[in-house]
């Protein structure tokens, strides 16, 4: 007993101890207990990051990743500070609630603000560009052959085009082009276009003027138009010509019209529609087939009686979009405006694209991506999935081109893919990461090693087991090692890439990403009250009118001074608008037949009473005659509440006095300087809340 008392004196909360004993069922306490044999205080073993050059974590979940992340935002950030990391990133699943906590620690370390979104690859539009006044009268269907896939690094070897006027094929254009480089063997096999065939042909800049003349301002059509137009635009750009014609993609058109068709490759659709395709992969033949496909499909949708070209886009169904595959995607704010765009995306995903999860359409991310950095995320990301689904490299290239940087993660993170039989073994997991690294090199994208942190230390995985088994995950007990890793732990993890590449992806590239990102503040300093034109005057008029109505004209001195003092400080500090909003909401609700409760300190503002926001009257206790307006005030503190005054008749006119006044100083509401942020709490009836929200939208405009 003495021994244990003595020991306990030296132990405080948060200490670490090494305990040795037997777990037994204690029949006396009726629960499982530890029968202690020895106990020793020990040093907590906190990992340190001792590398001279340190990594930066770019993918991290806090507790705000619901039912998934287990560590406190502040604990995670504190660790990054202790390790001397230059920055740390917050990327919770679809939400940003960890930002305020993170911001609190932003003085000690740079915080990179982001999110891990559930992206959906909504179908691309069928027709793009300025479609105003465009009908179905003229099209130029084009196709190109090239020396490779990159519009920037590869060259055009042939252009073929077909002009359609009023539904008839009218004219054709076919031109071989000398690319000025050797055509790769693989391409020669595919297209049949050899170096000899183009040796005597003009180069692209000689060809473009006549081609420009051929297309005029027609609607351009191509199969997988992103590819052809990428090259066309790139080459015209070199001679300072911009191509602004609308573009129709028969690939998207086909996807919309034949949703059940598994592949929409040109030759397969041609076959499906019984369109001849003689020399597949020679430009003019492909263009002719595409033209015939276009005409057939337009004939098929004739019953829709489309008048304008833009109506073609209605062939897509939005329900399909929302239910499609979701891909994890990391989105980081590059600067303050990026942060705002991130908020827009997140609101949009919760309000307009919620289907089990808040989803983010790729097209909307694309529109707002200017100040954002987009990372390829984990094995649930679009790129990793495309690789394990063995998608054709053209598709993978297109996916890669969407991202600003690519992520690779520790093999342990993805080991469940082996258990599920999707990936053979760890070697194959290594190969996938190598492939992502190579894709990054080829597309000139930074590749970074990220931890996809879901808990702080290795041993914290036990907490995540609980969250996972609560959600009935059968592998809850097989937690991946999603802990926050030191630089050397991460270097070890990626050592199979070789020392140099490991250092590049773990340290150098994470620093490069950090350097692109400016410091942001999620919640700016200061207050931003809304504005309503003339609110100051309106508040003065409303409250003075009501005061005169109740207390007579001229106002009793005590009423006049209180009201004036309040109005002066409210208006001076720019808070009149808050009163006016509350006043409008309350009077609208009462007008519609629903009482409103006000609560809290607003009852100490006489101006609030006199604008109908609250029924609590903060003046000193008083009698008031409703008929002749005679008043009697009790300012000596002898009465606490006007309601406690004895009944009394007005000595002037004999009416029964009204009793009011709760004796609350205005300072309770706006502080001693009259500049405390006003807090007007209103309780609307449950079924009226939606209406109140709508009315607020009506007052300020939707989305404000
Ligand atoms: Zn997660
Ligand atoms: Zn993920
Ligand atoms: Zn994640």
């Amino acid at each position: 007993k003495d021994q244990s008392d003595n020991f306990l004196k030296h132990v405080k909360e948060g200490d670490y101890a090494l305990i040795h004993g037997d777990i037994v069922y204690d029949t006396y306490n009726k629960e499982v207990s530890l029968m202690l044999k020895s106990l020793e205080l020990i040093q907590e073993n906190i990992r340190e990051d001792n590398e001279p050059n340190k990594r930066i974590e770019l993918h991290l979940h806090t507790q705000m990743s619901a039912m998934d992340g287990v560590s406190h935002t502040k604990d995670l950030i504190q660790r990054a500070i202790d390790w001397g990391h230059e920055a740390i990133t917050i990327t919770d699943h679809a939400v940003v609630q960890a930002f305020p906590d993170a911001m609190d620690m932003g003085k000690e370390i740079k915080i990179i603000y982001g999110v891990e979104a559930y992206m959906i690859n909504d179908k691309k539009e069928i027709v793009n560009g300025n479609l105003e006044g465009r009908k179905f009268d003229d099209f130029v269907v084009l196709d190109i052959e090239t020396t490779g896939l990159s519009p920037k690094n590869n060259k055009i070897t042939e252009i073929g085009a077909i002009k359609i006027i009023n539904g008839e094929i009218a004219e054709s254009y076919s031109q071989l082009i000398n690319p000025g480089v050797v055509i790769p063997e693989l391409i020669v096999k595919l297209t049949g276009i050899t170096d000899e065939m183009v040796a005597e042909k003009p180069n692209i800049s000689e060809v473009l003027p006549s081609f420009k003349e051929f297309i005029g301002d027609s609607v351009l059509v191509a199969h997988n138009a992103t590819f052809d137009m990428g090259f066309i635009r790139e080459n015209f750009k070199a001679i300072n010509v911009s191509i602004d014609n609308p573009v129709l993609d028969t690939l998207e058109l086909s996807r919309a019209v034949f949703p059940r068709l598994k592949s929409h490759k040109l030759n397969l659709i041609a076959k499906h529609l019984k369109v001849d395709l003689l020399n597949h992969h020679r430009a003019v033949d492909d263009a002719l087939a595409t033209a015939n496909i276009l005409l057939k499909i337009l004939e098929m949708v004739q019953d829709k009686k489309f008048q304008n070209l833009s109506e073609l886009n209605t062939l897509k169904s939005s329900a399909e979009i929302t239910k499609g595959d979701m891909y994890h995607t990391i989105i980081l704010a590059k600067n303050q405006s990026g942060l705002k765009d991130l908020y827009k995306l997140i609101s949009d995903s919760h309000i307009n694209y919620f289907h089990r999860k808040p989803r983010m359409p790729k097209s909307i991310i694309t529109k707002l991506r200017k100040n954002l950095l987009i990372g390829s995320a984990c094995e649930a990301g679009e790129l990793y999935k495309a690789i394990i689904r063995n998608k054709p490299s053209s598709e993978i290239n297109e996916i890669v081109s969407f991202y600003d940087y690519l992520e690779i993660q520790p093999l342990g993170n993805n080991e469940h893919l082996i258990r599920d039989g999707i990936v053979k073994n760890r070697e194959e997991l290594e190969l996938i990461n190598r492939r992502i690294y190579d894709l990054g090199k080829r597309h000139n994208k930074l590749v970074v090693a990220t931890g996809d942190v879901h808990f702080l230390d290795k041993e914290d995985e036990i907490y995540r087991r609980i969250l996972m088994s609560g959600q009935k995950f059968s592998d809850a007990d097989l937690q991946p090692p999603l802990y926050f890793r030191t630089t050397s732990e991460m270097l070890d993890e990626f050592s199979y890439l070789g020392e140099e590449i490991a250092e590049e992806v773990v340290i150098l590239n994470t620093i490069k990403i950090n350097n692109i990102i400016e410091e942001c503040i999620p919640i700016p300093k200061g207050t931003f009250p809304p504005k309503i034109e003339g609110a100051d005057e309106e508040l003065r008029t409303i409250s003075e009118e009501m005061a005169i109505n109740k207390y007579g004209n001229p106002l009793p001195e005590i009423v006049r001074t209180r009201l004036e003092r309040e109005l002066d400080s409210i208006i001076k500090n720019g808070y009149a608008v808050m009163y006016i909003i509350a006043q409008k909401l309350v009077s609208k609700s009462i007008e519609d037949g629903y009482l409103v409760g006000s609560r809290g300190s607003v009852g100490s503002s006489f101006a609030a009473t006199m604008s109908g926001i609250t029924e609590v009257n903060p003046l000193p206790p008083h009698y008031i005659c409703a008929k002749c307006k005679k008043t009697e005030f009790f300012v000596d503190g002898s009465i606490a509440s006007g309601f406690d005054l004895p009944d009394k008749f007005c000595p002037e006119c004999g009416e029964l006095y009204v009793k009011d006044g709760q004796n609350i100083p205005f300072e309770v509401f706006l502080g001693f300087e009259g500049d405390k942020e006003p807090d007007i709490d209103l309780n609307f009836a449950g079924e009226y809340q939606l209406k109140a929200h709508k009315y607020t939208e009506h007052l300020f405009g939707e989305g404000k």
Side-chain angles (χ1 to χ4, degrees):
K1 176 86 171 61
D2 283 352
Q3 218 185 335
S4 69
D5 278 352
N6 188 38
F7 179 82
L8 285 173
K9 251 187 262 165
H10 299 282
V11 184
K12 40 182 209 312
E13 202 182 312
D15 280 350
Y16 275 66
L18 188 66
I19 294 171
H20 171 221
D22 296 323
I23 300 281
V24 292
Y25 183 76
D26 185 332
T27 46
Y28 181 72
N29 283 326
K30 300 222 182 325
E31 59 185 335
V32 176
S33 311
L34 176 84
M35 301 305 277
L36 195 62
K37 285 192 173 148
S38 76
L39 192 155
E40 183 192 352
L41 273 182
I42 53 165
Q43 274 296 306
E44 186 190 359
N45 184 17
I46 299 180
R47 289 172 296 140
E48 288 173 7
D49 192 334
N50 295 319
E51 288 291 319
N53 285 326
K54 295 176 208 286
R55 67 181 289 255
I56 292 167
E57 182 57 68
L58 294 172
H59 186 148
L60 174 140
H61 298 269
T62 74
Q63 281 179 331
M64 295 305 174
S65 287
M67 296 301 280
D68 189 22
V70 297
S71 299
H72 273 295
T73 310
K74 291 195 172 181
D75 292 345
L76 291 158
I77 296 174
Q78 188 57 51
R79 182 61 63 83
I81 294 169
D82 294 343
W83 282 351
H85 287 194
E86 209 177 306
I88 184 168
T89 314
I90 308 283
T91 56
D92 279 312
H93 288 295
V95 298
V96 292
Q97 277 102 337
F99 286 10
D101 270 349
M103 191 179 95
D104 282 350
M105 303 185 76
K107 276 198 193 73
E108 291 167 83
I109 188 171
K110 175 173 163 188
I111 311 283
I112 298 172
Y113 295 97
V115 80
E116 181 164 26
Y118 299 103
M119 184 179 75
I120 41 173
N121 194 351
D122 48 338
K123 276 181 283 177
K124 287 172 262 171
E125 297 277 28
I126 297 165
V127 226
N128 283 295
N130 181 6
L131 304 176
E132 222 182 286
R134 289 289 183 168
K135 309 273 183 208
F136 290 83
D137 30 24
D138 66 316
F139 298 100
V140 168
V141 185
L142 61 92
D143 186 69
I144 58 169
E145 303 306 328
T146 66
T147 62
L149 293 174
S150 161
K152 284 201 158 50
N153 305 321
N154 298 121
K155 305 288 175 206
I156 299 179
T157 54
E158 188 180 34
I159 299 179
I162 300 289
K163 191 173 282 178
I164 299 176
I165 294 174
N166 296 325
E168 304 280 345
I169 289 177
E171 214 181 318
S172 80
Y173 177 100
S174 179
Q175 181 66 58
L176 279 167
I177 294 154
N178 186 342
V181 295
V182 175
I183 303 173
E185 208 175 315
L186 209 80
I187 304 284
V188 174
K189 267 192 200 142
L190 186 72
T191 63
I193 299 171
T194 62
D195 290 326
E196 293 76 54
M197 286 165 70
V198 296
E200 303 295 317
K201 300 295 175 188
N203 64 36
I204 186 76
S205 52
E206 291 168 300
V207 168
L208 287 177
S210 71
F211 181 59
K212 170 85 173 122
E213 211 166 288
F214 184 81
I215 59 178
D217 75 338
S218 299
V219 176
L220 302 181
V221 181
H223 199 71
N224 190 15
T226 323
F227 175 79
D228 300 80
M229 291 313 296
F231 276 89
I232 296 283
R233 290 206 179 94
E234 186 67 27
N235 282 284
F236 270 112
K237 205 169 84 189
I239 59 164
N240 287 320
V241 175
S242 75
I243 297 295
D244 302 319
N245 308 41
V247 175
L248 188 160
D249 193 340
T250 47
L251 176 65
E252 296 305 326
L253 182 63
S254 165
R255 281 180 178 157
V257 178
F258 311 115
R260 265 184 282 273
L261 218 58
K262 287 218 170 56
S263 169
H264 296 265
K265 283 187 181 150
L266 186 65
N267 52 337
L268 296 174
I269 298 166
K271 203 170 145 199
H272 183 73
L273 290 174
K274 301 192 173 59
V275 164
D276 286 335
L277 178 52
L278 290 175
N279 287 306
H280 187 24
H281 290 309
R282 281 301 298 272
V284 77
D285 299 296
D286 282 357
L288 181 61
T290 308
N292 282 315
I293 287 168
L294 174 69
L295 291 174
K296 284 226 168 170
I297 295 182
L298 289 181
E299 205 181 294
M300 286 175 57
V301 298
Q302 235 175 18
D303 58 313
K304 308 238 190 252
K305 302 224 175 341
F306 290 144
Q307 296 294 318
N308 299 308
L309 190 62
S310 59
E311 288 167 278
L312 271 188
N313 285 335
T314 62
L315 290 170
K316 318 180 316 161
S317 95
S318 59
E320 215 175 297
I321 296 172
T322 324
K323 284 178 187 152
D325 280 352
M326 294 186 291
Y327 301 105
H328 287 196
T329 304
I330 295 288
I331 306 179
L332 308 178
K334 258 198 275 189
N335 50 38
Q336 203 63 31
S337 356
L339 196 60
K340 203 166 173 189
D341 291 337
L342 184 66
Y343 294 158
K344 272 188 217 152
L345 283 169
I346 289 170
S347 301
D348 210 24
S349 69
H350 282 83
I351 296 168
N352 298 319
Y353 299 98
F354 197 98
H355 176 70
R356 297 208 182 98
K357 303 271 187 200
R359 293 157 186 243
M360 244 182 234
K362 199 174 191 177
S363 61
I364 299 180
I365 299 175
T366 305
K367 268 184 207 145
L368 292 177
R369 70 179 296 167
K370 195 174 139 232
N371 294 304
L372 301 169
L373 278 184
I374 303 181
S376 63
C378 54
E379 46 67 48
E382 194 183 18
L383 177 60
Y384 206 99
K385 275 193 172 168
I387 291 173
I388 54 184
R389 283 171 183 170
N390 205 14
K391 294 268 172 140
S393 59
S394 60
E395 211 167 306
I396 286 177
N397 286 327
E398 204 188 312
I399 290 170
V400 170
S401 68
F402 173 73
Y403 294 92
D404 293 308
Y405 66 94
L406 308 180
E407 285 179 54
I408 50 178
Q409 299 186 342
L411 299 184
N413 291 26
N414 301 325
E415 223 154 24
H416 66 98
L417 294 172
I418 302 175
R419 283 201 303 274
D420 297 344
I422 296 166
V423 167
K424 240 185 296 140
N425 46 33
R426 284 179 76 89
E427 283 68 48
E428 200 181 323
L429 288 177
E430 283 179 14
L431 277 178
I432 295 173
N433 278 352
R434 276 180 207 278
R435 175 142 183 226
I436 294 176
Y437 177 79
D438 291 341
L439 282 166
K441 281 281 141 187
R442 198 132 38 88
H443 289 256
N444 206 12
K445 312 261 178 184
L446 290 176
V447 179
V448 295
T450 63
D452 205 351
V453 177
H454 282 68
F455 39 85
L456 182 54
D457 288 305
K458 246 180 242 177
E459 58 272 20
D460 297 332
E461 57 95 16
I462 195 160
Y463 306 122
R464 194 161 181 266
R465 291 189 196 195
I466 298 164
L467 288 184
M468 293 295 127
S469 46
Q471 296 163 85
K472 308 247 183 305
F473 281 101
S474 59
D475 59 354
D477 282 339
L478 301 165
Q479 281 299 311
L482 303 173
Y483 59 94
F484 188 13
R485 289 172 198 247
T486 65
T487 306
S488 62
E489 282 171 334
M490 206 62 157
L491 285 172
D492 284 349
E493 175 60 43
F494 288 92
S495 58
Y496 59 87
L497 295 174
E499 208 175 305
E500 202 174 311
I501 296 180
E503 195 182 329
E504 179 194 339
V505 295
V506 170
I507 304 171
L508 302 179
N509 286 354
T510 58
I511 292 173
K512 276 187 189 163
I513 294 281
N514 179 42
N515 288 342
I516 304 173
I517 293 169
E518 293 170 19
E519 297 229 22
C520 303
I521 311 168
I523 306 162
K525 282 211 185 73
T527 51
F528 306 88
K531 288 189 175 55
I532 291 180
E533 214 52 59
D536 296 356
E537 264 323 291
E538 199 177 346
L539 178 64
R540 201 177 275 282
T541 315
I542 289 174
S543 51
E544 279 174 359
E545 254 171 34
M546 189 160 164
I548 285 169
N549 239 322
K550 183 161 178 169
Y551 292 98
N553 198 1
L555 290 173
E557 191 54 21
I558 189 167
V559 177
R560 194 184 61 80
T561 46
R562 171 78 182 241
L563 187 59
E564 247 168 45
R565 188 166 70 88
E566 283 199 21
L567 286 174
D568 285 349
S569 99
I570 292 162
I571 290 168
K572 188 183 84 201
N573 288 294
Y575 296 143
V577 65
M578 314 293 265
Y579 277 75
I580 289 299
I581 300 163
Q583 185 271 332
K584 284 186 192 299
L585 286 168
V586 171
S587 77
K588 174 93 170 101
S589 177
I590 288 171
E591 195 184 301
D592 291 346
Y594 292 89
L595 288 178
V596 181
S598 67
R599 55 173 188 181
S601 57
V602 68
S604 56
S605 168
F606 185 56
T609 324
M610 288 300 106
S611 46
I613 297 168
T614 177
E615 290 177 318
V616 177
N617 186 320
L619 292 178
H622 58 278
Y623 288 116
I624 161 99
C625 173
K627 200 169 162 197
C628 75
K629 309 297 179 197
K630 181 174 170 53
T631 52
E632 288 179 44
F633 279 87
F634 299 85
V635 292
D636 58 358
S638 58
I639 312 281
S641 160
F643 296 163
D644 293 338
L645 287 167
D647 284 349
K648 189 176 168 182
F649 291 92
C650 172
E652 303 281 322
C653 66
E655 273 280 305
L656 183 64
Y657 263 146
V658 174
K659 303 174 288 186
D660 209 343
Q662 307 305 326
N663 206 19
I664 317 169
F666 180 51
E667 285 73 12
V668 172
F669 191 50
L670 280 195
F672 288 100
E673 308 295 327
D675 58 354
K676 196 180 117 202
E677 187 82 357
D679 174 14
I680 303 178
D681 262 344
L682 299 174
N683 291 346
F684 291 92
E687 66 254 52
Y688 193 75
Q689 271 192 22
L690 192 67
K691 273 198 167 174
H693 291 155
K694 277 273 165 237
Y695 185 59
T696 316
E697 258 182 26
H698 168 78
L699 289 176
F700 291 106
E702 206 183 320
K704 294 285 167 67

